[in-house]
Structures are given as structure tokens and as C-alpha cells.
Amino acid sequence: MPQLRLALNQIDSTVGDLAGNAEAIVHWTRHSAEQGAHFVAFPEMVLTGYPVEDLALRSSFVEASRDALRALAARLDAEGFGELPVLVGYLDRSEFAAERYGQPAGSPRNAAAVLHRGGIALNFAKHHLPNYGVFDEFRYFVPGDSMPVVRVHGIDVALAICEDLWQDGGRVPAARAAGAGLLLSVNASPYERDKDDTRLELVRRRAREAGCTTAYLAMIGGQDELVFDGDSIVVDRDGEVIARAPQFAEGSVILDLDLPAAPADAPSGEVDDGLRIDHVVLSEEPLPPYEAELAGGYADRLDDDEELYTALVVGLRAYAAKNGFDSVLIGLSGGIDSALVAAIACDALGAQQVYGVSMPSKYSSDHSKGDAAELARRTGLNYRTVPIEPMFDAYMGSLGLTGLAEENLQSRLRGTTLMAISNQEGQIVLAPGNKSELAVGYSTLYGDSVGAYGPIKDVYKTSVFRLAKWRNRAAEERGQTPPIPEASITKPPSAELRPGQVDTDSLPDYDVLDRILELYVDRDQGLDAIVAAGFDRALVAKTLRMVDAAEYKRRQYPPGTKISPKGFGKDRRLPITNRWREAG
């Protein structure tokens, strides 16, 4: 049976950085060649970064992507890799723009190309275009209509892009009809909690449907609110795992595959879903047997809490690095949210690049001030104290505020202080709000909501506690100092804006609240369905009213790492002006 040494390069790329992304492709192609690879692959739209969003509608960017692809092909050939087929995702356009209603301007395509001998041996566009959650690909792209098959060393390799594997029909059954020995899908599918298990079952099922070995190559890194977790997978035709890459780690999976020989007659014509076969022969002769085979390996899986925490670290690190920021600023209250954000920031950037500011008011408890200082001591982050009481007194003397206005003034003074330090010293401010608070509007505009990024924006409060405990436990297992003071975890959550205040004065118990919010926010369940799940009707009605009334606040919150199937932002789009209320 013919053999093929496949290199799956699970790498990060930056949107718009065509030169930097091309350099990374050359680097990893060189590495793959040094390991004896015969076919090299990179993730979806790796040359442009993903998602490019409305950049796809700029003809100048589309043409720059096409030019960069041609230049990359020439460079690979000049550096001695011309005989090595390299699959690269990029932004293309249809050569035959169709001017009709609903057609994206200029007919851009989410495409990939096989580079060989200094040119483009074959290119194709994604067939299934996702249009749910964070995806708007109907807005940007036109679908591909071919079934690309490339013959390499006597083996037919069928090619697909991301959603082509996730949706029924299209290229998966077409690969079987074309008689392919390998189905290779390149992807930029964002991370979500528990998605790794779903992904594995998907790849197994598609391999059985395609009737051939199936490789799923994933991207890693982060782009704005999205995180990509790697976890590339190769399974045989029966769905048995051959290799699995690490999560959240850049690298190359290189493995030898025993695959069936291509048929004597090249496949042609139309196959399933109306796709026409686009078959290109690069090399007919099978390779001689290897002296030693590469197995690819199976990386250990992260447990659920470590996976989630790592996603938050990678998301913040990518956002800071790709936007040119090397340090962050956090308001440290001594509470659990700012403590977890600080721990994430220290792990993402290093403690020396994290600056914490305690901003006590007359309502701040001694233990909260002490917990903030203890966090700084444990982590080694830069720490200072800036009391807001003199500022607060000056405002109160001028305005004479009471009640909620007086409470919110304290939060806004802290926000102003952080932004002033940020402007003066150059760090970006991290907003510490969690998903539970954002859902019900338990945050202050221009106060605790200020910042350039919200690392735990998509993390419910109950998960905040769980992750803090995990991070401390992980430190203890490594013989390190747990970063988060135990008191920050065990004391009742409080904004400390008035004497004796605790969160449960205004909110249900977080365990109950988060379960209601998951049904309403993440699963789009209505009041009756949530009540039927076992919750008190009056409590559900109150909670839903708070969520609905806070939409305008969420629109003004900074971006933050998405880890759930439906985060606040592009996932969940509701009108601010809206008189429909589930609660009546």
C-alpha cells in the first residue's frame, strides 16, 4: 500500500499581516521538509488570518492576498521546496463575478491553494458557508463548486475547508465518490467549552462517511474575542484515532500514512451535491517503503478547568501581542473577579508586565485592601494604592449625590483613575466583569466596565470561583505559591459601595442565577420553559427583566475572550430598543 508522510502545521496567524504570516508558512514548511514530509498543510485562511470580516469586501485586500500567495509560491520554490506540495488557506475572489442580489461585492472567496513548483497547482473555495454564531460568511463569500483532488505519489487526496466537514453533504460524500485515499480538511474553528469532544466525534463520523482516512487540521492562537485551540486530529477510515495534536500549542504533526493507491483512471465529472471534480496530478509514482515510520503521537488532553483557563490565558496574550501592547493595568478590589483576571494576566504576560491598583474608598473593608495587597505579593505583579476618597468628597461637595448615584460615582472614579494611569503610562486596562454581572446589568458604565479587554467577560460567576480554585490547586501541585488569596475565594462577593453591601442584596444566589442565565442567554429559552425546568416563576421573571434592560450596557463593554457557545457580542444580537419581554 502506498505511503505518504503528511505534515499538519497547527500554527497561529494574524489578520492582515500578510508578510508575517507568509514568513511563518516558510518557516514551518522548512521544518516539515527537514522531517521528510511529502505533503504539507496549513490552516484555513492562514495567509490572511481569520476571520478577516469586512476586509473581505475591500478589493485592495483581496488583491494583496492573491499577490502574497503568488509571491509565497515563488519563494518556496526559490528556497528549494518547489517539489513539496504545500496547502495554504487565503482570501481569493471568483474570476467570474456575478452581479446579482445578495452577491458579496467583488465575489470574494474563502479559499485554499496547493503550491507546487513555484506556482498554484490547484485552488478551490469553501463550499459550505457558515452563517450562525460568530460567523457571517454569507455576507462575505461566494461558495466553491468544485471537489478538489490532488494526486501525490500515487495517492488521491481530497481537500475541504472547515464547514465542509461540519455540514452534511458536499465534499464529504464527494470524497467517497471520487475514490480519495485521504480527506484533508483545513480549519479555523474557534474554541468553545466542550467542543473538543464534539470535534472528535465529528471527524470520526465523517471519515466513515467518506470511506477514507481523514485529517482535520486546526488553527491555534487568538483573534479579538475568538480563541483557536488546535487539537488537530487524524483518524483512519473506520474512525479510529491515528494522531491527535496538543491543545493551545503551536507545532507540526508529522506522520506516515498507509493509504490506498489512486485508481488508474483519474476521477472526473460531477459528484455529490453537484460538485465537479477538479483533479490535478502532481506525482504518479508511489514512494519506496520507509525505513522507519513516524506515528504522529497522541497528546494528553487537558481537563475541563485547565482547558478553560488556558483558553482565557491564550485569548488575552494574543489580544495584547497582536495589538502591540506589552503590559496591562487592573483595578484590584480584593474580590474574586479582579483576582482571577490578575492571575490570568500574570500567566499570559508575566507578572512584571501586570500593574495592579488598589483604589479604596471609605466603604472598602480592611480585609479587601489586605487581600489585594496579598494577591500582589503572591504573584509579584506591580502594585500601588490610590485612595479615591478625596476625589469622592470633592464630587459629593459639588453634586450632593445619594443612593445609587453615590454608589456609581465611586466606580466611575475608579474607572477614571485607571484610564488616567493608562494614558500616562501606556498599559491597557483590563475590565474584570464576568458574564453573570454583564447579563443582569450589575456593572457601572464608565466605571468597572472601562477597559480595552475583558478576560472573563464570557465566564459565569460560578465558573469564576471554580477556575480560581483550580488555579490555586494547580500551583500547589507544582510546588508554587497559589496566586489567589483564600479570603478572595471564600468571602461573600460585594461591590463595597455602601456599608455592609453584598451581591445577594440585589441578585439571586449565583448558583441559581447562572443556571437561569444559561437557559435564557446561551440556549434562548423563554420564561415558561425556564420555569418548567424547576425555577421559581417570580425569580425567573425578575432575572429576565434585568437581562433585557441591560442590553445597552453590554454594547458598550470591551471585547473579551469567548469560551461559550453564545457569548455577549457577535453571538447574541438583540435590539436595544425592544418592547418584547418574556416576563410580561
Side-chain angles (χ1 to χ4, degrees), residues 511-523:
D511 181 61
V512 175
L513 175 64
D514 288 353
R515 286 186 286 137
I516 294 173
L517 293 175
E518 185 175 358
L519 292 171
Y520 188 52
V521 174
D522 296 0
R523 302 186 190 180

Side-chain angles (χ1 to χ4, degrees), residues 15 81 91 102 128 163 217 276 281 361 515 562 569:
V15 167
F81 308 124
L91 175 64
H128 288 298
E163 195 73 9
L217 169 59
R276 71 176 191 283
V281 176
S361 74
R515 286 186 286 137
K562 167 182 154 61

Side-chain angles (χ1 to χ4, degrees), residues 277-292:
I277 293 179
D278 188 0
H279 188 274
V280 173
V281 176
L282 300 184
S283 48
E284 284 276 18
E285 292 302 314
L287 293 160
Y290 305 141
E291 293 182 3

Side-chain angles (χ1 to χ4, degrees), residues 146-273:
S146 68
M147 178 66 240
V149 181
V150 59
R151 184 165 294 179
V152 182
H153 296 300
I155 298 167
D156 277 350
V157 181
L159 305 173
I161 301 175
C162 201
E163 195 73 9
D164 293 338
L165 218 64
W166 287 90
Q167 296 294 328
D168 292 334
R171 287 188 174 134
V172 174
R176 177 185 283 273
L182 171 67
L183 172 60
L184 170 58
S185 176
V186 296
N187 307 271
S189 182
Y191 169 80
E192 290 174 8
R193 189 179 56 244
D194 302 325
K195 193 174 186 178
D196 56 333
D197 295 331
T198 304
R199 181 187 294 135
L200 175 60
E201 290 309 309
L202 170 79
V203 177
R204 283 174 163 164
R205 185 170 69 253
R206 295 310 190 210
R208 291 190 289 267
E209 292 171 2
C212 63
T213 297
T214 299
Y216 178 102
L217 169 59
M219 183 179 285
I220 68 103
Q223 170 63 28
D224 291 347
E225 295 192 311
L226 303 182
V227 175
F228 304 98
D229 60 322
D231 190 29
S232 298
I233 303 168
V234 183
V235 304
D236 66 18
R237 61 181 298 162
D238 297 319
E240 295 300 315
V241 177
I242 300 172
R244 196 164 185 185
Q247 298 166 279
F248 303 104
E250 189 168 58
S252 185
V253 176
I254 301 176
L255 73 162
D256 292 328
L257 297 172
D258 295 320
L259 300 169
D265 297 325
S268 61
E270 286 196 358
V271 285
D272 291 60
D273 213 13

